[in-house]
């Protein structure tokens, strides 16, 4: 799976949130793959999955978003994938300061803002 500008990887441990994002983004024309934690996401990416963007929760069991992002950036094949971090907690600026090239959104995520951001990151023409 490569080259699909509408393919997104949603990394979210809360099944209800993951399903809501899946339903919403599918309705907006995106193709969604869900990973339940960072370890699962890395396995899929290292197995050849190439999404246009990753939507990454930070607080997850097994491998959280910070650990995932560290591994992603360390891997030359994965570091260039656009990443949107979304979290339910208020993050102090220093907690994401070391995360280069990420967008940060807070839960509950504003659907219009999410779609606009993802389309921009994926290089879609329609970013209105």
């Amino acid at each position: 799976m490569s080259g699909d500008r509408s393919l997104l990887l949603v990394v979210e441990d809360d099944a209800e949130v993951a399903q809501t994002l899946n339903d919403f983004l599918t309705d907006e024309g995106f193709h969604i793959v869900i990973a339940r934690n960072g370890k699962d996401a890395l396995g899929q990416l290292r197995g050849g999955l190439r999404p246009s963007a990753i939507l990454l929760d930070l607080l997850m069991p097994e491998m959280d978003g910070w650990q995932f992002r560290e591994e992603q950036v360390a891997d030359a094949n994965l570091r260039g994938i656009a990443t949107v971090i979304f979290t339910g907690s208020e993050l102090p600026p220093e907690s994401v300061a070391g995360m280069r090239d990420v967008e940060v959104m807070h839960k509950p995520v504003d659907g219009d803002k999410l779609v606009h951001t993802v389309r921009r990151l994926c290089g879609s023409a329609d970013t209105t």
Side-chain angles (χ1 to χ4, degrees):
M1 281 188 190
S2 65
D4 184 349
R5 288 176 116 35
S6 65
L7 180 63
L8 305 176
L9 175 60
V10 174
V11 188
E12 170 62 65
D13 64 313
D14 184 314
E16 187 175 322
V17 172
Q19 188 61 52
T20 298
L21 286 168
N22 178 68
D23 293 347
F24 176 73
L25 292 167
T26 298
D27 287 348
E28 292 293 328
F30 294 98
H31 303 283
I32 309 300
V33 174
I34 296 174
R36 297 294 179 206
N37 58 53
K39 185 177 178 181
D40 181 22
L42 280 176
Q44 291 186 51
L45 291 165
R46 290 181 175 151
L49 180 70
R50 286 298 175 267
S52 293
I54 298 168
L55 279 60
L56 177 66
D57 187 20
L58 286 179
L59 302 176
M60 297 176 290
E62 202 159 348
M63 178 185 279
D64 65 27
W66 286 280
Q67 293 168 310
F68 169 84
R69 185 70 179 146
E70 197 173 294
E71 293 279 334
Q72 178 193 7
V73 172
D75 188 323
N77 294 317
L78 306 179
R79 76 173 58 117
I81 302 171
T83 303
V84 178
I85 292 172
F86 53 95
T87 184
S89 60
E90 286 299 317
L91 297 173
E94 63 274 10
S95 72
V96 292
M99 291 188 185
R100 298 174 316 190
D101 305 320
V102 298
E103 302 272 339
V104 178
M105 301 185 86
H106 295 280
K107 294 178 186 174
V109 174
D110 177 285
D112 291 337
K113 183 177 178 186
L114 177 62
V115 169
H116 177 78
T117 299
V118 171
R119 285 189 177 142
R120 179 175 46 82
L121 292 173
C122 293
S124 299
D126 178 20
T127 57
T128 57

